[in-house]
Amino acid sequence: MAVAHGSSQQEAPMDRAPVQAHTSLDSVMFDLILKFLQTPGQVLLVQGPPGSGKTTFALEILNSLEETHKIYASSRVAPARLRQHFPWIDEVIDTMSGRTARASWIDELHDLRRVEPDTIFNQVLRLKHSKQRAVLVVDSWEGAIRNTNDEGRKMLESAVLSELDESKVSVVIVVEDSRKAGDLGYLVDGIITLDQSELDGRRVRTIAMNKLRGFSVPTKRGIFSLDKARFTILPNGLRQQGTNSHPKALEPVPHPDHAFSLGSKGMDQMLGGSIPRGSFLLIDVDSSVSPVEIRTILNMVRANFINQKGPCVIVPTAAYSSDTVAESLSKYVGWEAIDERVRILEYNQSLAPKKWRLVMKSNLSDDVKTFAHAWDELAKISPHRMLDINVDKAVQVYGRDELSVPGLTELGANMRDTEGLNIAIASSDSKLRDQWLSVVDYHLKIKNADGSLVIYGVKPFTPLYGVDLNFDKGYPVLNLMQIV
């Protein structure tokens, strides 16, 4: 057995390198798993098909645990190959020269591929008899029992699963084929299932917490990515973290020459770097996305445009009044900018007049004239204006009559000539949406998958991205992580 012994048993704590913080954005789910394993004697079964991310998950667990002796035993991948696949563990061991690095976060790295079962048995007993607080990862169980008969398998099960409380050892067992795991599912304390599927031809990775004995599990499923060979669980919905109570003016992402930023560098990069002036963008929003999530995203886009002196006209969703839209947006641009550069359509004529409120009569011909006048007035500030229209709201007000469609689409007909930014939001099919779709330069879809927001481009075609939407800076920030 090729074994690399770290120096954790001999070194003082001050000599150890600091353990890297885990990369999971969803700290609730991942921290719960860590807390589970920090209880001595726990056994966690990690199962999933080939390529689902089990090895990365196991290494991320070891990387995140502190003040624990950590042993990784692999029956599938040699230490040298691990270094190639996971560059962030290259400080662990130089397998070609036999040199070991001080202060590595894996204390022992074992190669089980050519080891007899009784040797594995003895190594496990040695660890348990040391009475040292430790976490052992066996990757994978099928490989460890490959050359054993039923008696040998039971011997290994007994060695790994018995007297763990007394020995202060917790164990992570990686299983690729649950059918070959025997009774492990009944014997272990926790079960995590990793899987991968497709969403509109794009890969989705999911983690499910099937069982964590003795722990309440608030979130049982989530989306994760293996970007940069790290295991990262995406947030479960909008992350507010209390900072929304102290909003700040949004610091805009600067517009490139002859183009617009959407206020998120991740979204800009997903669409090729920026949105050329005069472009049309359609965002299809699935019913699984909450109104507050899409409002937060739109406020980011709006504020980024407004805070760069851009005028903006908003046709809000039916879920929010013009007062609510103005109030939420004012936190990031200020009321002076709202009065000067923002016009929000309102179909309730009983509301008090506001400089920013554009009261409509729900009559298409009259409303087109009202809009056109306001649109021309904003052109005195800048010809590069933004139109943000909720298609569902327009259909609700003016009906689905085919004759209404040409009149409504005329609202943005001169956007290309004036080099503005035209964004349409839709949650259901309609003739008006189809009209927008026929002329758009960009088409995005936003959905909620297993509790996490995801976004992807239909035009142009893009991979699936997980959305981290938060208020960490006091204003809406949207970061993307590709699901790989």
Side-chain angles (χ1 to χ4, degrees):
M1 175 180 293
V3 181
H5 294 280
S7 51
S8 62
Q9 292 172 282
Q10 291 79 27
E11 295 172 355
M14 67 176 59
D15 294 327
R16 290 185 65 90
V19 178
Q20 299 180 34
H22 66 76
T23 60
S24 174
L25 293 172
D26 189 342
S27 60
V28 174
M29 180 179 287
F30 197 82
D31 287 351
L32 186 62
I33 296 171
L34 297 181
K35 186 177 180 181
F36 172 82
L37 289 171
Q38 285 170 339
T39 303
Q42 301 281 39
V43 180
L44 179 67
L45 183 67
V46 179
Q47 59 187 9
S52 57
K54 300 182 298 298
T55 295
T56 311
F57 178 63
L59 290 172
E60 202 70 69
I61 286 175
L62 293 180
N63 186 38
S64 302
L65 289 170
E66 298 184 30
E67 299 179 1
T68 302
H69 191 73
K70 292 169 277 192
I71 307 97
Y72 180 79
S74 176
S75 64
R76 299 189 298 169
V77 184
R81 186 63 60 87
L82 279 175
R83 291 183 60 191
Q84 296 175 5
H85 292 173
F86 306 97
W88 48 282
I89 69 169
D90 62 1
E91 75 274 16
V92 176
I93 180 172
D94 186 331
T95 55
M96 303 305 294
S97 66
R99 295 175 302 190
T100 59
R102 294 179 77 248
S104 64
W105 56 263
I106 294 183
D107 303 305
E108 299 183 35
L109 193 61
H110 297 244
D111 189 345
L112 303 183
R113 293 174 303 156
R114 301 176 182 85
V115 176
E116 295 300 321
D118 58 343
T119 305
I120 302 175
F121 176 79
N122 290 330
Q123 288 290 340
V124 173
L125 290 182
R126 175 189 63 81
L127 172 64
K128 295 170 72 173
H129 291 161
S130 70
K131 300 295 183 179
Q132 183 180 12
R133 185 184 182 91
V135 173
L136 165 66
V137 172
V138 180
D139 183 11
S140 66
W141 185 253
E142 294 94 330
I145 64 173
R146 182 183 298 117
N147 299 319
T148 66
N149 52 26
D150 287 343
E151 181 179 354
R153 178 181 59 80
K154 292 179 180 178
M155 179 181 68
L156 283 177
E157 285 183 0
S158 176
V160 172
L161 300 175
S162 66
E163 300 178 356
L164 291 172
D165 292 340
E166 295 82 355
S167 65
K168 300 181 181 180
V169 177
S170 292
V171 180
V172 177
I173 300 176
V174 176
V175 175
E176 197 154 282
D177 188 347
S178 58
R179 294 172 299 179
K180 296 181 180 180
D183 297 329
L184 280 179
Y186 299 99
L187 300 174
V188 300
D189 304 291
I191 300 177
I192 299 292
T193 300
L194 307 182
D195 205 354
Q196 53 184 337
S197 57
E198 286 193 355
L199 175 62
D200 290 348
R202 298 158 177 84
R203 177 159 52 191
V204 182
R205 295 187 181 273
T206 57
I207 176 171
M209 303 176 72
N210 307 100
K211 178 174 73 170
L212 284 183
R213 186 174 294 153
F215 286 78
S216 175
V217 181
T219 304
K220 295 186 177 181
R221 291 182 64 86
I223 302 291
F224 70 90
S225 176
L226 301 181
D227 191 31
K228 297 180 176 62
R230 304 302 298 263
F231 191 97
T232 306
I233 304 177
L234 300 173
N236 190 267
L238 178 64
R239 292 196 297 124
Q240 298 201 41
Q241 299 183 346
T243 57
N244 197 29
S245 60
H246 300 90
K248 299 179 181 178
L250 182 141
E251 296 180 11
V253 178
H255 297 315
D257 291 339
H258 308 293
F260 297 116
S261 167
L262 293 178
S264 163
K265 294 180 180 179
M267 287 183 66
D268 293 343
Q269 292 171 1
M270 179 179 69
L271 296 178
S274 58
I275 306 294
R277 290 179 182 175
S279 295
F280 283 66
L281 167 64
L282 173 64
I283 303 177
D284 276 325
V285 181
D286 190 76
S287 59
S288 60
V289 180
S290 72
V292 68
E293 287 173 326
I294 189 60
R295 185 185 70 176
T296 301
I297 294 174
L298 289 176
N299 274 344
M300 175 197 70
V301 178
R302 296 162 179 164
N304 191 75
F305 195 89
I306 295 166
N307 285 351
Q308 295 183 76
K309 307 303 181 181
C312 178
V313 176
I314 301 171
V315 183
T317 173
Y320 296 108
S321 69
S322 58
D323 281 322
T324 303
V325 174
E327 178 67 31
S328 65
L329 183 57
S330 67
K331 299 174 183 178
Y332 315 117
V333 303
W335 280 110
E336 183 178 349
I338 294 285
D339 284 337
E340 178 189 359
R341 299 191 293 279
V342 177
R343 298 294 179 265
I344 305 174
L345 273 63
E346 176 58 67
Y347 294 90
N348 183 351
Q349 300 181 40
S350 65
L351 295 179
K354 298 287 184 180
K355 186 175 181 180
W356 50 263
R357 190 174 356 248
L358 200 59
V359 180
M360 314 301 275
K361 298 180 179 179
S362 301
N363 178 282
L364 183 60
S365 59
D366 291 338
D367 290 350
V368 167
K369 294 177 183 177
T370 301
F371 172 88
H373 176 73
W375 189 249
D376 291 341
E377 285 295 310
L378 290 177
K380 298 175 182 179
I381 300 173
S382 171
H384 309 306
R385 294 152 288 177
M386 173 180 170
L387 174 61
D388 167 10
I389 177 171
N390 184 277
V391 174
D392 300 332
K393 178 65 174 181
V395 171
Q396 177 190 15
V397 172
Y398 301 110
R400 295 177 177 271
D401 193 309
E402 186 174 0
L403 294 177
S404 297
V405 172
L408 288 174
T409 53
E410 285 177 6
L411 297 181
N414 68 341
M415 292 297 291
R416 293 194 192 279
D417 293 337
T418 58
E419 295 187 330
L421 176 61
N422 195 351
I423 299 179
I425 311 298
S427 297
S428 58
D429 291 331
S430 66
K431 293 178 181 178
L432 179 56
R433 174 193 171 276
D434 292 342
Q435 280 283 72
W436 285 96
L437 188 59
S438 66
V439 299
V440 297
D441 305 282
Y442 301 92
H443 182 196
L444 300 180
K445 288 190 175 184
I446 300 178
K447 295 185 177 183
N448 188 303
D450 289 300
S452 298
L453 278 181
V454 295
I455 186 172
Y456 55 96
V458 178
K459 181 181 181 180
F461 183 94
T462 74
L464 186 71
Y465 291 86
V467 176
D468 173 27
L469 185 60
N470 64 81
F471 292 93
D472 291 349
K473 294 184 177 181
Y475 52 80
V477 175
L478 188 152
N479 299 311
L480 297 183
M481 175 169 290
Q482 185 175 337
I483 307 298
V484 298

